[in-house]
Amino acid sequence: MRRYILHRLVQLVPILLGVTLLTFAMMRLASGDAVDALYENLGAAVSQEVLDAKRAELGLDQPFFVQYFTWLWGVVRGDMGVSYVSGQRVFETFAAKLPNTLLLTVSSVLLTAAVSIPLGILSAVRHNRAADYVIRFLSFIGNSLPNFFVSLLLLLVFAVKLEWLPVISTGGGMSGLLLPTLTLTIAMAAKYTRQVRSTVLEELEKEYVTGARARGVRESVILYASVLKASMLTILTLLALSVGSLLGGTAIVESIFLFDGVGKLAVDAITMRDYPIIQAYVMWMAIIYVLVNLCTDLLYRRLDPRVRLGEEG
Amino acid sequence: MGTIRKRPLEGTSLRLTLCAGLVGLILLTAVFAPLLTPWDPYAQDMSAALQAPSAAHLLGTDAYGRDVLSRVIVGARTSVFSSLTLVAVICAGGSFLGVLCGWLGGRADAVIMRLSDLFLAFPGMVFAIAVAGLIGGGMVNAVIALAAISWPKYTRLARGQTLAVKSAPYVTAAVMANNTALQIIFRHILPNIAGPLLVTAALDIGTMMMELAGLSFLNLGAQPPTAEWGSMMSKGRSMIQTSPWVVLGPGIAIFLTVLAFNLLGDALRDYLDPKRRGARAE
């Protein structure tokens, strides 16, 4: 078991090297670097000497691989550099905002599970009846709504028309968390309900269900004691997998609601070409994503002892 | 294909026809957009700024007095064509790589598969945002960013399908008849694995459209003054309290278009696989 976890963590290394190297390469390919962006935003016309001096100060005049390994060496020693714009340490800035994003992610996942699992099961049990059609119709609608449109609609309804909630989230507090969570949940629940439905449906078609029915086992017993137990595995895996799309989705939603998390930080950093922040964002998201997947596999194992983790990949 | 076409029930093929008609209507709108706009989508008229919907401006006007309806119609071009290009590129490129992997096997297969693992092991949209931001705004760059992260899905699928048909008697027969690898791939393998790839692509169009619009919404896609739904909404969001129509027009346009493409994808899937009629939506 311990060896397995270690093995998975070792696999994290090439992934991280790959994505950071790719982001690094993208930055060099981009037209206009951080120094240009910095002075453009100050609105001051500066001479080439000043620009060059600033580039030298930030190490941007170094060859590509020198820059990359300097950065990498820093990360290995736990130093993620300093933001070009604010001048603050990247790690501390990041660590201060990460809890907000994690809170948003966790609350969205929980709410999604709370909404989708019952609806998906209901839809499967009532296959091709009214409830099923209504749920499928709604999830189809939800699937076709981009999350930025959902957030603007929610803002329009709850903040502008009804004035129940603030237009701008403050990051902390329940009211600031509510609309971003709702937005992310609507998109996720729409997709997830369909997945739960198809998983349960598939399980209901298996032979043991027919067998149990033939023996006169009550429908509710079949559902709760066998079918749901068997489907839960797939259902949980799918939920964990959706965390990946959620992490990307938070960036847009955080910027709209001015929610003070890492997603908004990254979007702001991209406009300012604040390289160290972008690097940190990409790296941390990769780490979180891989860790979530690892936890899923471990959970999988706990729920189903037949799964032999060591045999995978 | 010839024999499959007869099999599905009336309902499924009727649904497919209806959905195809709906998507066709959207495509026609996109193609003939410049002829359909009641106003010039780029003409600014500050005296007519932020007017509520009226008979003259059915969806109202934006902060520069431009007609929202006209901009939504022209925006269909940007959104629809860029999403179609994106899906066509990743589907063709990704599938080709996948077929090669499946056919060749060996070292090339291993390298490409590890590479696709790398992309699949990472939250795509996070990377797309970073890439689009770094290579700079613009619709073309947004398409490149999303293409760079979305191809592995097709590579995987095509590889698996190729492996499945590789040992089929007709492929063995083709090998024995001394056909070249390319002949076999194009004449025997691709036609037989096209179904699932097409369904995936059709279902992907809506998602990609939303992600492209999302990038534009973050100012990482289409740049002003280009009429694009995501960027129109981005510009309108600060005025949502006073002039919600600036956001609602393009928002509803995205919603309906994505819905139409999703319905088409769903219908296509059921059509090609009658067993799954409505039962197992993914």
Side-chain angles (χ1 to χ4, degrees):
Chain A
M1 191 65 172
R2 195 173 296 162
R3 274 188 60 181
Y4 173 73
I5 296 177
L6 203 69
H7 179 66
R8 285 290 295 261
L9 290 178
V10 169
Q11 279 186 338
L12 190 61
V13 175
I15 292 177
L16 287 182
L17 283 179
V19 287
T20 52
L21 195 63
L22 264 172
T23 359
F24 230 86
M26 294 293 174
M27 292 178 187
R28 306 307 125 174
L29 290 173
S31 56
D33 67 0
V35 175
D36 289 331
L38 202 60
Y39 286 103
E40 225 168 79
N41 279 293
L42 289 175
V46 286
S47 66
Q48 191 61 41
E49 287 80 47
V50 179
L51 291 178
D52 287 341
K54 187 73 185 170
R55 282 200 181 98
E57 183 197 322
L58 298 174
L60 290 173
D61 55 344
Q62 304 274 324
F64 173 75
F65 279 103
V66 175
Q67 287 186 41
Y68 181 67
F69 285 112
T70 314
W71 176 81
L72 198 62
W73 178 234
V75 172
V76 172
R77 289 173 303 155
D79 173 16
M80 301 193 79
V82 171
S83 159
Y84 293 170
V85 178
S86 68
Q88 278 166 349
R89 303 188 53 76
V90 172
F91 186 79
E92 275 76 12
T93 316
F94 220 80
K97 292 176 192 272
L98 195 59
N100 279 339
T101 298
L102 290 182
L103 187 66
L104 178 60
T105 311
V106 169
S107 62
S108 309
V109 170
L110 290 182
L111 192 59
T112 301
V115 172
S116 307
I117 295 180
L119 282 184
I121 294 171
L122 181 68
S123 189
V125 173
R126 302 254 154 205
H127 184 41
N128 280 344
R129 278 191 274 175
D132 183 29
Y133 284 120
V134 172
I135 291 168
R136 270 160 65 190
F137 176 74
L138 288 179
S139 82
F140 219 96
I141 301 278
N143 250 330
S144 308
L145 281 169
N147 57 12
F148 54 93
F149 188 37
V150 173
S151 25
L152 291 175
L153 283 178
L154 289 176
L155 266 180
L156 195 61
V157 174
F158 290 105
V160 178
K161 293 277 181 246
L162 300 173
E163 295 182 358
W164 286 353
L165 294 161
V167 176
I168 296 169
S169 313
T170 41
M174 272 310 288
S175 65
L177 192 64
L178 193 60
L179 288 187
T181 304
L182 264 182
T183 306
L184 289 169
T185 303
I186 287 177
M188 237 170 97
K191 199 170 129 213
Y192 190 58
T193 305
R194 301 181 75 173
Q195 292 176 332
V196 172
R197 173 179 178 273
S198 57
T199 312
V200 176
L201 262 184
E202 204 166 308
E203 199 65 34
L204 279 172
E205 279 167 12
K206 290 203 172 148
E207 285 177 354
Y208 75 86
V209 177
T210 321
R213 277 183 189 144
R215 290 200 309 277
V217 179
R218 255 184 301 142
E219 204 63 21
S220 60
V221 175
I222 299 177
L223 185 67
Y224 292 110
S226 316
V227 172
L228 288 190
K229 212 166 153 189
S231 330
M232 234 3 117
L233 207 63
T234 323
I235 291 178
L236 285 176
T237 316
L238 288 168
L239 188 64
L241 285 178
S242 57
V243 171
S245 60
L246 194 62
L247 288 176
T250 55
I252 293 180
V253 173
E254 283 180 13
S255 328
I256 292 178
F257 291 104
L258 301 179
F259 186 86
D260 196 21
V262 290
K264 183 177 171 297
L265 180 74
V267 172
D268 293 345
I270 284 169
T271 0
M272 295 298 294
R273 302 204 169 277
D274 197 346
Y275 298 157
I277 300 256
I278 304 171
Q279 281 286 5
Y281 175 68
V282 171
M283 211 183 82
W284 274 104
M285 289 297 129
I287 294 177
I288 294 173
Y289 187 61
V290 172
L291 286 183
V292 169
N293 282 353
L294 176 62
C295 292
T296 317
D297 287 346
L298 294 179
L299 189 71
Y300 214 109
R301 166 148 178 147
R302 270 205 80 87
L303 292 176
D304 186 355
R306 285 172 304 178
V307 178
R308 291 265 187 78
L309 291 175
E311 283 169 13
E312 297 178 358
Chain B
M1 289 296 272
T3 50
I4 297 172
R5 203 159 284 169
K6 298 267 169 13
R7 244 190 289 148
L9 299 173
E10 278 295 297
T12 317
S13 61
L14 179 71
R15 189 152 66 91
L16 185 65
T17 317
L18 282 179
C19 296
L22 201 63
V23 166
L25 214 62
I26 293 172
L27 289 179
L28 282 179
T29 313
V31 172
F32 294 108
L35 303 174
L36 297 171
T37 54
W39 299 77
D40 178 353
Y42 294 104
Q44 303 191 358
D45 177 8
M46 295 314 273
S47 63
L50 294 178
Q51 284 180 2
S54 62
H57 299 280
L58 287 175
L59 296 178
T61 60
D62 69 5
Y64 297 103
R66 296 173 297 197
D67 181 46
V68 174
L69 178 62
S70 304
R71 288 179 67 74
V72 165
I73 294 175
V74 173
R77 242 189 182 181
T78 328
S79 296
V80 172
F81 289 150
S82 51
S83 326
L84 288 180
T85 316
L86 172 60
V87 172
V89 167
I90 54 175
C91 180
S95 308
F96 185 69
L97 268 183
V99 172
L100 275 188
C101 283
W103 183 255
L104 296 174
R107 199 171 292 165
D109 180 31
V111 170
I112 295 176
M113 278 303 115
R114 288 295 84 72
L115 202 64
S116 78
D117 281 345
L118 180 72
F119 281 94
L120 289 172
F122 194 76
M125 200 57 193
V126 169
F127 201 52
I129 289 171
V131 172
L134 291 172
I135 57 181
M139 214 55 193
V140 177
N141 286 348
V143 170
I144 294 176
L146 283 172
I149 56 148
S150 325
W151 59 270
K153 191 182 354 173
Y154 293 91
T155 308
R156 286 260 147 149
L157 184 62
R159 177 179 179 269
Q161 296 281 333
T162 306
L163 287 178
V165 300
K166 200 175 164 183
S167 52
Y170 60 84
V171 176
T172 318
V175 175
M176 284 166 68
N178 219 3
N179 286 292
T180 63
L182 279 182
Q183 275 176 326
I184 298 172
I185 288 175
F186 281 102
R187 233 181 261 161
H188 302 288
I189 295 184
L190 276 179
N192 279 295
I193 66 168
L197 288 170
L198 277 181
V199 170
T200 313
L203 286 169
D204 229 12
I205 296 173
T207 318
M208 289 302 160
M209 194 175 287
M210 290 198 281
E211 298 200 340
L212 274 174
L215 288 177
S216 294
F217 189 85
L218 292 174
N219 288 325
L220 301 175
Q223 298 297 308
T226 310
E228 198 275 344
W229 296 336
S231 71
M232 285 168 74
M233 293 175 72
S234 169
K235 294 287 160 302
R237 83 195 214 214
S238 53
M239 298 162 255
I240 194 164
Q241 278 165 300
T242 50
S243 327
W245 56 85
V246 181
V247 165
L248 289 178
I252 291 167
I254 298 185
F255 167 59
L256 292 178
T257 311
V258 172
L259 189 67
F261 276 104
N262 281 348
L263 284 171
L264 178 68
D266 232 38
L268 189 67
R269 181 185 53 199
D270 294 350
Y271 181 78
L272 291 177
D273 186 1
K275 269 183 307 193
R276 296 177 46 145
R277 247 183 27 253
R280 274 167 231 161
E282 271 173 63

